[in-house]
Amino acid sequence: MHGKNKTICIAGKNLCAIETLSFVLKKFKNNKILALPNKSDNCKDSWQKSFKKFAIRKKVPITSLKKLYKIENLYLFSLEYEEILKVNYFKSNKLFNFHFSLLPKYRGCHTNFYQLLNGEKKTGVTLHEIDNGIDTGKIIDYVTFPIQMNTTAYENYVKLLKKSVFLFKKNINRILKNNYPKKKQNLKLGNYFSRKSINYNKLIKFKKITNNIQTHNKIRALIFQPFQLPMIHKKKIKRSIFKNNKIKLLYL
């Protein structure tokens, strides 16, 4: 396989980081391979398995940003890595991110929530170079899939995780060969959301339910059972079904 004598670092969390690291260990084992878990990774499995725990079990060295800054032949792949990377600190410019939207739309945070809230008919994962902006780098590739009418935020997130792994496997060879297309984003066609743009604790409590598509979209955008479920009259909503212009709620 291509990529010999290069340092490959997988940065991030959850299934996407674990499966891409597993793939690299099988297909690119002649290279130096590193793992960069999020600081919040406490090495314990929860609703998602711990990336840090997996890397340690596979005897992959756990690295830090400070160490990565010094590596010239570095290829870093960010899959749900939580820190903003300062590209000027790196000796390498081979830094890539898998973003959970179809860029340039929905740059930044809470992309899964906003796409469902706005009733998007399709979503996907974008592979792009990391630059000095937030999700503004040149686009290399993307994968799309439809969002069904009653898909919840949790269900959509699981699909995004799996599609990011598919996109990684599809592109890693040509990236390591430095032979990949890239296209500048037209940021005027997109939008950006900060980490502080949403307070889920305030959003999840409904006083009343109005039978319209906007309310349905808001409810399903908040259904993410590992963290929260929307509520009405102290009852937790596990699913919202929109049919014939009416909302049917299923409770936990």
Side-chain angles (χ1 to χ4, degrees):
M1 301 292 283
H2 296 283
K4 191 175 181 181
N5 300 321
K6 291 174 174 140
T7 297
I8 301 171
C9 179
I10 304 298
K13 64 179 181 179
N14 295 346
L15 174 145
C16 53
I18 289 172
E19 291 200 4
T20 51
L21 179 59
S22 179
F23 182 78
V24 168
L25 288 170
K26 290 177 183 177
K27 303 294 185 179
F28 300 92
K29 56 187 176 182
N30 292 328
N31 297 271
K32 185 175 182 181
I33 300 170
L34 302 173
L36 180 65
N38 288 313
K39 290 180 179 178
S40 58
D41 193 331
N42 61 7
C43 222
K44 295 180 180 179
D45 294 334
S46 59
W47 71 280
Q48 287 272 317
K49 291 182 179 180
S50 163
F51 175 54
K52 186 175 182 179
K53 180 180 177 181
F54 176 82
I56 291 172
R57 181 163 59 86
K58 293 294 185 178
K59 299 180 180 180
V60 176
I62 304 297
T63 190
S64 66
L65 284 174
K66 191 173 181 180
K67 292 178 180 177
L68 293 173
Y69 293 152
K70 301 175 183 179
I71 302 174
E72 293 184 359
N73 210 12
L74 171 69
Y75 287 72
L76 183 146
F77 299 91
S78 170
L79 296 110
E80 293 287 81
Y81 187 64
E82 294 170 352
E83 290 189 53
I84 296 174
L85 298 179
K86 298 177 181 178
V87 297
N88 293 338
Y89 287 19
F90 289 85
K91 287 188 176 180
S92 170
N93 64 353
K94 299 301 180 183
L95 312 173
F96 307 93
N97 183 46
F98 292 79
H99 183 71
F100 286 4
S101 80
L102 298 175
L103 292 174
K105 295 180 71 174
Y106 302 102
R107 293 183 292 111
C109 300
H110 312 293
T111 61
N112 189 33
F113 168 82
Y114 280 116
Q115 289 173 89
L116 269 66
L117 178 69
N118 293 336
E120 296 287 355
K121 304 297 184 195
K122 67 177 181 178
T123 184
V125 180
T126 305
L127 167 58
H128 66 93
E129 292 182 327
I130 298 174
D131 62 9
N132 284 314
I134 299 176
D135 304 319
T136 56
K138 292 180 180 178
I139 294 173
I140 297 168
D141 197 6
Y142 59 88
V143 58
T144 67
F145 62 91
I147 302 177
Q148 303 300 328
M149 173 68 72
N150 297 317
T151 295
T152 67
Y154 175 76
E155 292 167 341
N156 200 56
Y157 182 73
V158 171
K159 289 181 181 179
L160 289 165
L161 290 174
K162 293 178 179 179
K163 292 297 183 181
S164 66
V165 176
F166 166 81
L167 197 59
F168 176 88
K169 292 178 179 180
K170 178 185 174 186
N171 285 279
I172 185 171
N173 264 306
R174 60 180 179 174
I175 286 176
L176 292 177
K177 290 190 293 182
N178 298 319
N179 182 24
Y180 54 90
K182 52 186 177 180
K183 182 180 180 181
K184 187 176 180 180
Q185 296 187 48
N186 184 351
L187 300 181
K188 293 180 180 179
L189 299 178
N191 40 19
Y192 167 78
F193 299 94
S194 73
R195 194 176 299 277
K196 295 181 180 179
S197 64
I198 296 177
N199 184 332
Y200 290 106
N201 291 327
K202 290 184 178 180
L203 287 177
I204 60 174
K205 294 180 181 179
F206 288 77
K207 292 182 179 179
K208 64 178 182 179
I209 301 295
T210 305
N211 273 314
N212 58 44
I213 189 64
Q214 291 80 15
T215 302
H216 167 70
N217 286 337
K218 184 176 181 181
I219 293 171
R220 68 191 182 114
L222 291 165
I223 296 176
F224 204 106
Q225 193 162 345
F227 294 110
Q228 89 263 325
L229 287 173
M231 300 174 63
I232 184 168
H233 308 313
K234 297 183 178 180
K235 294 193 295 184
K236 292 183 177 180
I237 303 166
K238 67 178 182 180
R239 182 169 291 277
S240 176
I241 300 171
F242 192 74
K243 188 176 181 180
N244 298 326
N245 292 319
K246 290 184 178 180
I247 296 173
K248 179 182 179 181
L249 299 178
L250 303 180
Y251 299 98
L252 190 64

